[in-house]
Amino acid sequence: MPKIKIFALLSVLIFGAVPFMDSWLNYNIRYTLYGIGAIMVFYAIYDFLFNVNVKFLFDKNAGIIYKINAPFLKQRLMMFEEMTIINISQEPGCMEYAIGKKKKEFMKNYSISDTFTHSKKSNAREQEYVEQVLNPILEFVKSDKI
């Protein structure tokens, strides 16, 4: 979410400031800035729809995990027995938790946490995440069906 806010703010600044700088900005620079602003807007919208706005449904009765994306229908991901939790690293020094099917977890996985770094504040957030979110998920999945 912070990246979306930064991109939205920068695009508003670009689209708000460039028309007033018309007298000293060259035609090519002006439209290059408009292009950069448009790319940031599209990236922020894409990131919001497909990454931030994703929810996971753990259906205890059926023993199935679904991925729900607001503008789309729910997608069946895997059975409880197939689920494994892994640590993935998308950027150097950063780590996040993801779920995937056993034996295929590195080919297709789904992020279920924010990115954690090695700072004190991030370590505290990670510890809180593990205690309040990750452990209850594991207990829920491993418990018997109702």
Side-chain angles (χ1 to χ4, degrees), residues 18-78:
V18 169
F20 296 109
M21 296 185 226
D22 195 30
S23 61
W24 58 277
L25 277 183
N26 159 335
Y27 172 84
N28 292 330
I29 293 173
R30 184 174 56 235
Y31 284 101
T32 301
L33 288 172
Y34 283 144
I36 291 170
I39 289 170
M40 286 192 288
V41 166
F42 287 125
Y43 177 80
I45 291 170
Y46 175 83
D47 202 28
F48 179 75
L49 289 177
F50 296 106
N51 294 331
V52 173
N53 207 17
V54 173
K55 295 178 180 130
F56 292 95
L57 173 66
F58 292 81
D59 186 355
K60 188 159 185 103
N61 292 330
I64 299 173
I65 302 171
Y66 294 98
K67 177 181 172 184
I68 301 173
N69 208 345
F72 306 106
L73 300 174
K74 65 182 178 182
Q75 173 188 7
R76 181 180 176 205
L77 297 181
M78 65 194 83

Side-chain angles (χ1 to χ4, degrees), residues 25 48 53 65 73 99 107 113 135 144 146:
L25 277 183
F48 179 75
N53 207 17
I65 302 171
L73 300 174
I99 58 173
M107 289 188 272
S113 74
N135 288 338
D144 293 330
I146 295 176

